[in-house]
Amino acid sequence: MSDTPKPGLAALIKVPQYASLVLLVIVLGTFAALNGDFLSPLNVSNMLAFLPELGIIALGMTLLLTAGEFDLSVGATFGLVPVVVMLLVQNAGVDLGLALVIGLAICVLIGLINGLIVTKIGISSFLVTLSMLMIIRGAALYITQGFPLASWDQPGIFVTLLAGDFYIGPFRVYASIFWFAVLSGLAGYLLNRAKIGNWISAIGSNRNAAVARGVPADKVKVWLFVLTSVLAGLAGMISAFRISTASPVAGTGYELEVIAMVVVGGTALNGGRGTILGTVVGALMLRGIRNGIVLIGVPGLAYNIFVGAVILGMLMLHAALQNSGRKG
Amino acid sequence: MTKDILRISNLRKSFGSVTALKNASFSVGEGEVVALLGDNGAGKSTLIKVISGVYRADSGEIAVNGAVVDIRSTRDAMALGIETIHQDSSLAPDLSIARNLFLGREPVTMGWLGPFAPINQVELREAARTLMQRVGISKRLNADAPVSTLSGGERQSIAISRAMQFAAKLIILDEPTNNLGVEETHGVLRFVREMKAAGHSILFITHNIHHVFQVADRAVIMRRGEVVADLPLAGSDVLKVEGLIMGVDLKAEPAHG
Ligand SMILES: Nc1ncnc2c1ncn2[C@@H]1O[C@H](COP(=O)(O)OP(=O)(O)OP(=O)(O)O)[C@@H](O)[C@H]1O
Ligand SMILES: [Mg+2]
């Protein structure tokens, strides 16, 4: 935790998020050494363009995992929201601003349903959100009949805010990176500094203990589900605006990639211990690996093998550090 | 007659087909130490979970300071001055000692932000240190260490020091000496006497009958969800109380060996 000051590099490496940070530097360094283009402005700009879309979802997922739950429906929400927004705008003539508000309401609804079923009926979040994934994805496919829609391609305040871009020197920077930065800062504050962060960690660590101290555990969980859905919808809109397409299958498999980012960063899959810094590092790492592996010439179809192997290696490393930390 | 801090009447609670609590009535007076006794599964933990707001009773009445109250949550119970140390671990192992001590009542700056207010780290650490000093564990333990690194007895001490800080009117201890070493056990019994001396009322669950005679004024005995006896300990003895717990008259039986 950030409030345990312990000097010395060896001690620092034992903190999961710092171990991930060191690994990130090693991974990026290796790719840079193997291919000079890895750190070229064009490639860095590319990596940073993709980063916020999964990274923003990963922030919500970090808080949710820390509280002991997770959400498999984020990828489907990422796909559904832009599709609904664009259908409303293009087929029903709804104003874009209003359509976005409706999209937001859909996210809140999805989160509420997930959260209420998990907390009030007591079904595991794995099963609830897996079912929700199928419902949402099915809905997106049904209302579009499976075809991608052209997304909003007119310039406008929303497009500029979410997916606008500009150049800093040779680097093409997207507005979404600022959203990611601000939201990361907020999430880090919530988890490490605010009262609610103490509650979130306590709920994931020992729910009964938290409840016995008057922590409204179920309420906190429900709102974390809502937050995660809203972030997934926001990420979906950013992506749709950036590529000017809203596809009903967008975000397929993102739920697992996001969870991988979070746990690679050092957040415990079974709750109680979460780190936003680790998640930012994890997001950078997975994006970096995906991009770097292609650049160094691994065949496109083979690269999931490497991504999976690297994730597995990272998790084994965290487990080893965790055990040595307990003995030491 | 002292005034009653807590009076419960005819509490009833079932879990599906299991009736854990059938007909529980008793009271705890001001400054009194009451031992709640009974064999495994008698309903003791269920009863104190109802009083502390973890469960809601199906029927019956709870009065605090003479007024009937509706305890809907652990928050309600705490607001009424009832602090509970539960039998099943009441700490979050991944949090630091300091953060556990103030869980749910974190000192904050900018309180108007509600749950989003920043925790006042300086105050948190100071208060934790003072508290740990009072219980005599400040030298051994670092307030920033996660609870997962502590022994069972150390955890129990943390839970007890947490109950001390809020100067509750009624402190409920569910088997607080379980898993404790000799010294820690005496620490808990000393704590009970000190709290009594300071005017707090205590409801104390234990299976150790000798501890009961060392600290309690009165024993309430439960069997299968019902309160079956309620007697002052002065003038009573171990055999009589054990007999009441088991539902047999041990004194009537011929003495063995
Ligand atoms: N959450 C629950 N769901 C179902 N049954 C329960 C639950 N909690 C308690 N019971 C049942 O209620 C009865 C009373 O349990 P309780 O924990 O109150 O006993 P106890 O007197 O505290 O026992 P011990 O001395 O072993 O701690 C038991 O039969 C138990 O199985
Ligand atoms: Mg019990």
Side-chain angles (χ1 to χ4, degrees):
Chain A
M1 278 219 93
S2 53
D3 46 11
T4 32
K6 251 190 218 130
L9 192 64
L12 219 54
I13 297 281
K14 288 205 171 128
V15 182
Q17 61 265 45
Y18 296 125
S20 308
L21 195 58
V22 171
L23 276 168
L24 175 68
V25 172
I26 294 172
V27 166
L28 296 184
T30 311
F31 284 131
L34 289 174
N35 188 321
D37 286 340
F38 184 71
L39 291 181
S40 71
L42 179 64
N43 195 47
V44 169
S45 302
N46 267 338
M47 275 194 282
L48 291 182
F50 282 116
L51 175 74
E53 290 162 19
L54 285 164
I56 285 173
I57 310 177
L59 297 174
M61 192 71 85
T62 305
L63 299 181
L64 202 52
L65 275 176
T66 308
E69 304 291 346
F70 59 103
D71 186 349
L72 295 176
S73 66
V74 287
T77 306
F78 179 100
L80 175 74
V81 172
V83 157
V84 171
V85 169
M86 285 312 139
L87 279 177
L88 284 171
V89 171
Q90 289 164 6
N91 293 14
V94 176
D95 172 70
L96 180 60
L98 180 60
L100 286 172
V101 171
I102 294 172
L104 177 71
I106 290 174
C107 294
V108 171
L109 189 69
I110 292 170
L112 278 179
I113 295 174
N114 280 338
L116 289 174
I117 295 181
V118 167
T119 58
K120 301 297 173 213
I121 306 184
I123 303 175
S124 83
S125 54
F126 178 86
L127 299 173
V128 172
T129 61
L130 181 64
S131 314
M132 188 55 88
L133 180 167
M134 298 172 80
I135 294 169
I136 301 172
R137 184 67 74 194
L141 286 167
Y142 179 71
I143 59 176
T144 58
Q145 295 299 307
F147 294 108
L149 308 162
S151 164
W152 193 259
D153 51 3
Q154 320 294 317
I157 175 80
F158 296 112
V159 178
T160 312
L161 272 180
L162 293 184
D165 64 338
F166 53 92
Y167 282 86
I168 298 182
F171 294 95
R172 186 175 183 186
V173 179
Y174 285 89
S176 54
I177 197 83
F178 293 102
W179 285 102
F180 182 46
V182 168
L183 290 170
S184 301
L186 265 176
Y189 164 78
L190 286 183
L191 189 57
N192 297 325
R193 296 268 162 259
K195 202 165 164 165
I196 187 98
N198 205 33
W199 297 0
I200 291 171
S201 308
I203 293 166
S205 186
N206 181 350
R207 183 184 171 278
N208 290 343
V211 170
R213 300 316 295 166
V215 172
D218 289 353
K219 205 160 147 189
V220 170
K221 278 188 184 177
V222 171
W223 286 110
L224 288 179
F225 274 107
V226 170
L227 176 72
T228 307
S229 288
V230 168
L231 291 178
L234 173 68
M237 284 317 305
I238 289 175
S239 173
F241 280 146
R242 185 174 55 81
I243 59 178
S244 298
T245 312
S247 163
V249 294
T252 304
Y254 277 18
E255 54 283 344
L256 295 183
E257 180 131 5
V258 163
I259 290 172
M261 286 174 172
V262 175
V263 294
V264 157
T267 293
L269 190 57
N270 46 7
R273 274 171 292 121
T275 154
I276 293 293
L277 175 62
T279 294
V280 173
V281 170
L284 281 166
M285 178 114 61
L286 260 71
R287 291 294 5 146
I289 291 170
R290 281 208 179 280
N291 176 289
I293 273 176
V294 174
L295 271 192
I296 63 172
V298 172
L301 289 176
Y303 82 135
N304 266 343
I305 302 174
F306 286 83
V307 176
V310 170
I311 293 173
L312 206 53
M314 293 283 311
L315 294 180
M316 282 157 64
L317 187 83
H318 279 314
L321 290 172
Q322 188 70 34
N323 289 339
S324 75
R326 203 162 283 154
K327 275 177 227 134
Chain B
M1 224 11 239
T2 57
K3 142 173 166 268
D4 284 346
I5 284 287
L6 174 78
R7 183 170 44 75
I8 61 166
S9 330
N10 303 315
L11 284 187
R12 191 185 173 84
K13 171 82 192 165
S14 343
F15 300 101
S17 60
V18 182
T19 306
L21 219 52
K22 254 179 257 174
N23 181 15
S25 307
F26 69 88
S27 56
V28 181
E30 198 167 29
E32 196 181 21
V33 178
V34 173
L36 184 57
L37 308 174
D39 265 335
N40 296 121
K44 307 179 297 295
S45 295
T46 306
L47 175 58
I48 62 115
K49 281 182 180 168
V50 168
I51 300 171
S52 59
V54 176
Y55 299 146
R56 287 199 75 180
D58 300 333
S59 61
E61 206 177 77
I62 303 176
V64 174
N65 272 335
V68 174
V69 292
D70 186 14
I71 299 178
R72 283 192 221 163
S73 69
T74 50
R75 256 168 206 271
D76 289 351
M78 285 191 271
L80 288 166
I82 301 171
E83 278 291 327
T84 310
I85 301 175
H86 292 280
Q87 178 177 19
D88 22 36
S89 156
S90 48
L91 301 176
D94 294 304
L95 301 194
S96 70
I97 293 177
R99 279 175 173 246
N100 261 290
L101 284 173
F102 293 92
L103 179 56
R105 297 180 183 179
E106 298 82 355
V108 294
T109 49
M110 299 193 279
W112 50 271
L113 282 172
F116 303 107
I119 294 177
N120 185 336
Q121 306 282 349
V122 178
E123 197 183 327
L124 181 76
R125 222 166 275 157
E126 276 306 302
R129 212 160 290 148
T130 316
L131 203 61
M132 289 164 72
Q133 246 154 29
R134 263 176 70 192
V135 193
I137 49 175
S138 63
K139 284 198 199 71
R140 276 189 291 149
L141 301 176
N142 172 1
D144 289 329
V147 162
S148 60
T149 60
L150 307 184
S151 80
E154 288 166 342
R155 289 180 202 202
Q156 196 67 266
S157 310
I158 300 295
I160 287 173
S161 54
R162 185 168 64 185
M164 284 175 70
Q165 71 190 306
F166 301 111
K169 276 186 287 195
L170 173 66
I171 300 169
I172 303 176
L173 302 152
D174 193 352
E175 303 194 24
T177 54
N178 260 11
N179 308 320
L180 292 197
V182 177
E183 197 186 331
E184 284 85 358
T185 300
H186 281 279
V188 171
L189 296 179
R190 178 158 35 85
F191 163 73
V192 171
R193 285 191 210 101
E194 275 172 17
M195 296 314 272
K196 177 188 159 76
H200 302 271
S201 306
I202 290 162
L203 184 58
F204 183 74
I205 301 179
T206 179
H207 287 292
N208 187 321
I209 207 87
H210 301 285
H211 294 166
V212 173
F213 279 91
Q214 281 179 46
V215 296
D217 302 310
R218 197 151 53 84
V220 170
I221 296 165
M222 294 184 68
R223 216 183 299 140
R224 290 199 212 99
E226 279 179 287
V227 171
V228 293
D230 186 336
L231 71 163
L233 287 168
S236 188
D237 59 60
V238 172
L239 218 50
K240 180 172 179 199
V241 172
E242 281 185 338
L244 285 167
I245 292 172
M246 292 191 284
V248 292
D249 189 349
L250 289 175
K251 285 184 168 172
E253 282 178 24
H256 299 284

